[in-house]
Amino acid sequence: MSLPTVSTSTRIGWIGLGVMGAPMCGHLLRQGHPVTVFTRTPSKAASVLAKGAKWVESPLAVAEASEVVFTMVSSPLDVRQVYLGEAGLLKGARSGSLLVDMTTSAPSLAREIFKAARSRGMQSIDAPVSGGDVGAREATLSIMIGGEEEAVDAIVPLLGALGRSIVRQGGPGMGQQAKLCNQIVIAGTMVGVCESLVYGYKAGLNLETMLASITTGAAACWTLTNLAPRILRRNFNPGFLVDHFLKDMGIALDEAAQMGLVLPGLALVQQLYFAVQSQGHGKSGTHALILALERLSNTEIEPR
Amino acid sequence: MSLPTVSTSTRIGWIGLGVMGAPMCGHLLRQGHPVTVFTRTPSKAASVLAKGAKWVESPLAVAEASEVVFTMVSSPLDVRQVYLGEAGLLKGARSGSLLVDMTTSAPSLAREIFKAARSRGMQSIDAPVSGGDVGAREATLSIMIGGEEEAVDAIVPLLGALGRSIVRQGGPGMGQQAKLCNQIVIAGTMVGVCESLVYGYKAGLNLETMLASITTGAAACWTLTNLAPRILRRNFNPGFLVDHFLKDMGIALDEAAQMGLVLPGLALVQQLYFAVQSQGHGKSGTHALILALERLSNTEIEPR
């Protein structure tokens, strides 16, 4: 198949304009690309329409208008619908189209979409990101890419507008696998940091002073530096949603089960996050894990 | 009680000359202090005796010869023996002596020793450290101090020769509590990093490439940067011993139980480390946790 050669006239499609997708799509608009968009909640398209994007009524219509389509939606279910559904991308895309899923989704689904796309002469790539809303706005995301080499070559110039660390992780699905590795580490740091804070509080420590001793040594981690202070201020705004983290942990544990892999730490953290969700904090940031740990011990860290 | 005013002529005692204690004691010798030492395994004293330290036959005899005594031994059992045993420090120390335990030990034991010491007109301080053997050699330790203010004031100048971050955490036992917070965070980062590596390996990722994507974002932690590469080289030399980490986790879980505090993450990590120990790796570094996770899934990460 012949892949598009990317230039600023390459016609881009973008699906999913949430807290991540909207600023990312904006970066491509700023580079001068004609951009066609669709998103489930049309009001979320306002900012990119104001910058010159064109609205259409379905993923199928986005694909018809575009050479390269990016997707940044919420869950594997949404990814499946957008790619493989009735009015999905694969129904509208022409042979030679490039489809790039930046959602954190299931590696097995990425491989399924890759095969379905290839059978129609298209290429699909998985390219999930880390770096959060700040990384999306500042174009400093870490992008983990899975896909066939020639297709990845073709889109790397576009990804350069979105992120700073752009690393090829292997064939179809391997970008997703690397992203899941990232989430597994975070699950560990979150439980360690939150248990440490509830321990220190019950022990009567001044938690700011405790953090001053431990943030620079062998316990140092992004979660301790960035999220522990928010917990002490009882600010549970996301950051990264509990609901989304649970989605990612569920994918990782499903994939692990398929590989015969036992991950007791991740499984426990998942259970604790279900407790956070059942306390009504699915839309809070991941550091709301402290709320489940506090409830387990019938305590609450009070701001000093 | 009147506390010693510290100068380079202050007579120092040092008990415990292992991988941490020997270089720390060496720093005080280099400052010109007369230093009297005892350690359970006399051969470990060779390096400090060569630098001018004087050997005596018991903690009691160290205390008789010293105004300020530091202890850096292996476990709370050893601390109890050294302070409260038949030929212990409290039998030999004079009124006004300062006793400083830098072992990671139980907060409740630190308070017990504090009370026993005070009833004899002495002061005891808990001042555990983080930073490992490198921090001990380079005098860059993080020192977490618990004790009465006047006593802490008196020894801070001496601690300046041993560490870079010297933080008062509160009254007797609170230095130990802060150190346990540090260990609880590390338990989380260790399980997250090790599960991530075994997941990534089974998924077929190139683990060096995976690490390149995840070490700088929200998954960033000291363990990922410093220990994951050692795991990939199958180098399990300590670092910090599995046996010692299990000791620390045991103390934290005992203290937590006394406080009515539930720490499911730490409890799970403790169990996994018992598995590492039962595999014969008690004297390996803490990153040998990967060996228990590999065994759970009947796999082994092969160097590429």
Side-chain angles (χ1 to χ4, degrees):
Chain A
M1 83 193 67
S2 91
L3 297 168
T5 305
V6 169
S7 71
T8 53
S9 65
T10 302
R11 286 171 290 114
I12 303 283
W14 195 284
I15 294 171
L17 293 161
V19 68
M20 299 294 292
M24 292 165 77
C25 178
H27 295 314
L28 295 174
L29 278 162
R30 232 185 325 276
Q31 294 209 324
H33 294 284
V35 179
T36 305
V37 303
F38 169 78
T39 195
R40 204 164 42 186
T41 311
S43 61
K44 290 189 178 171
S47 72
V48 297
L49 296 181
K51 289 174 190 144
K54 183 181 166 224
W55 173 268
V56 293
E57 289 297 331
S58 68
L60 187 154
V62 170
E64 285 179 338
S66 310
E67 296 160 279
V68 181
V69 181
F70 293 91
T71 54
M72 187 60 156
V73 296
S74 286
S75 70
L77 270 178
D78 295 334
V79 171
R80 182 176 290 283
Q81 185 65 28
V82 163
Y83 279 81
L84 306 174
E86 270 307 301
L89 285 173
L90 264 56
K91 294 269 171 64
R94 270 161 298 199
S95 176
S97 296
L98 279 167
L99 309 173
V100 186
D101 187 22
M102 306 192 79
T103 316
T104 297
S105 176
S108 51
L109 179 57
R111 288 190 295 266
E112 181 185 342
I113 290 171
F114 170 80
K115 283 177 196 156
R118 194 174 50 178
S119 72
R120 294 160 194 237
M122 312 157 194
Q123 277 276 353
S124 90
I125 289 166
D126 49 299
V129 305
S130 79
D133 55 338
V134 174
R137 283 196 304 274
E138 298 179 358
T140 57
L141 294 168
S142 168
I143 307 177
M144 293 154 262
I145 314 176
E148 291 205 330
E149 196 158 335
E150 198 194 354
V152 173
D153 287 345
I155 61 138
V156 160
L158 289 170
L159 296 178
L162 305 176
R164 200 152 49 185
S165 161
I166 298 163
V167 180
R168 295 157 193 252
Q169 294 292 345
M174 298 309 264
Q176 296 296 351
Q177 297 287 28
K179 177 64 190 288
L180 292 174
C181 289
N182 188 74
Q183 304 306 72
I184 294 169
V185 174
I186 291 174
T189 65
M190 288 296 322
V191 73
V193 167
C194 289
E195 289 194 356
S196 166
L197 288 173
V198 73
Y199 180 97
Y201 176 70
K202 282 286 264 194
L205 287 166
N206 177 319
L207 295 180
E208 284 88 354
T209 309
M210 181 272 278
L211 291 175
S213 275
I214 77 169
T215 45
T216 56
C221 57
W222 187 95
T223 298
L224 195 64
T225 302
N226 292 277
L227 299 183
R230 290 196 213 173
I231 291 170
L232 299 194
R233 294 193 302 272
R234 308 303 284 182
N235 171 3
F236 294 113
N237 294 336
F240 185 57
L241 292 185
V242 165
D243 284 345
H244 289 165
F245 194 36
L246 270 167
K247 179 256 295 177
D248 296 352
M249 287 188 283
I251 296 168
L253 287 164
D254 283 349
E255 294 278 329
Q258 287 167 38
M259 298 190 286
L261 190 64
V262 180
L263 300 176
L266 184 63
L268 172 66
V269 175
Q270 180 197 41
Q271 294 297 311
L272 292 171
Y273 272 102
F274 281 136
V276 177
Q277 202 178 43
S278 80
Q279 286 174 232
H281 281 277
K283 305 296 180 207
S284 295
T286 47
H287 52 300
L289 177 60
I290 195 83
L291 301 173
L293 291 165
E294 288 176 343
R295 187 168 286 196
L296 276 176
S297 297
N298 193 33
T299 191
E300 188 179 318
I301 297 173
E302 286 170 41
R304 291 171 70 95
Chain B
M1 87 190 69
S2 90
L3 297 168
T5 304
V6 168
S7 70
T8 52
S9 64
T10 301
R11 285 172 289 115
I12 304 282
W14 196 284
I15 295 170
L17 294 162
V19 67
M20 298 294 291
M24 293 166 76
C25 178
H27 295 314
L28 294 174
L29 278 163
R30 231 184 328 275
Q31 294 208 326
H33 294 283
V35 178
T36 305
V37 303
F38 170 79
T39 196
R40 204 165 39 186
T41 312
S43 60
K44 291 188 178 173
S47 72
V48 297
L49 295 181
K51 288 175 191 145
K54 183 181 167 226
W55 172 268
V56 294
E57 287 298 332
S58 68
L60 187 155
V62 171
E64 284 179 338
S66 310
E67 296 161 278
V68 180
V69 181
F70 293 92
T71 55
M72 188 60 155
V73 295
S74 287
S75 71
L77 270 179
D78 295 334
V79 171
R80 182 176 290 283
Q81 185 65 28
V82 163
Y83 279 81
L84 306 173
E86 270 307 299
L89 284 174
L90 265 58
K91 292 269 171 66
R94 269 161 297 197
S95 174
S97 294
L98 279 167
L99 310 173
V100 186
D101 185 24
M102 306 193 80
T103 315
T104 297
S105 173
S108 50
L109 178 57
R111 289 190 294 268
E112 181 185 341
I113 290 170
F114 170 80
K115 282 176 196 155
R118 194 172 52 178
S119 73
R120 295 162 194 236
M122 311 156 195
Q123 277 276 352
S124 90
I125 289 166
D126 49 297
V129 305
S130 79
D133 54 339
V134 175
R137 283 196 304 273
E138 298 178 356
T140 57
L141 295 167
S142 169
I143 306 177
M144 294 154 259
I145 314 175
E148 291 207 330
E149 198 159 334
E150 195 194 357
V152 174
D153 288 344
I155 61 139
V156 160
L158 289 171
L159 296 178
L162 305 176
R164 199 152 51 184
S165 161
I166 297 163
V167 180
R168 294 158 194 253
Q169 295 291 348
M174 299 309 264
Q176 296 296 351
Q177 297 286 26
K179 177 64 190 290
L180 293 174
C181 288
N182 187 76
Q183 304 305 73
I184 294 168
V185 173
I186 291 173
T189 64
M190 286 298 320
V191 73
V193 167
C194 289
E195 289 193 357
S196 166
L197 289 173
V198 72
Y199 180 97
Y201 176 71
K202 282 285 264 192
L205 287 166
N206 176 318
L207 296 180
E208 284 88 354
T209 309
M210 182 272 278
L211 291 175
S213 273
I214 77 168
T215 43
T216 57
C221 58
W222 187 96
T223 298
L224 196 63
T225 302
N226 292 278
L227 299 183
R230 288 195 214 176
I231 291 169
L232 299 193
R233 293 194 302 273
R234 307 304 284 182
N235 169 3
F236 294 114
N237 295 336
F240 184 57
L241 292 186
V242 165
D243 284 345
H244 289 166
F245 195 36
L246 270 167
K247 179 257 294 178
D248 296 353
M249 288 189 282
I251 296 169
L253 287 164
D254 282 349
E255 295 277 329
Q258 288 167 35
M259 298 190 288
L261 190 64
V262 180
L263 299 177
L266 184 63
L268 173 65
V269 176
Q270 180 197 40
Q271 294 297 308
L272 293 170
Y273 272 101
F274 281 136
V276 179
Q277 201 178 45
S278 81
Q279 286 175 233
H281 281 277
K283 305 296 180 208
S284 294
T286 48
H287 52 299
L289 178 60
I290 195 81
L291 300 174
L293 292 165
E294 287 176 343
R295 185 167 288 197
L296 275 176
S297 296
N298 194 30
T299 191
E300 187 179 319
I301 298 174
E302 284 170 42
R304 291 173 69 95

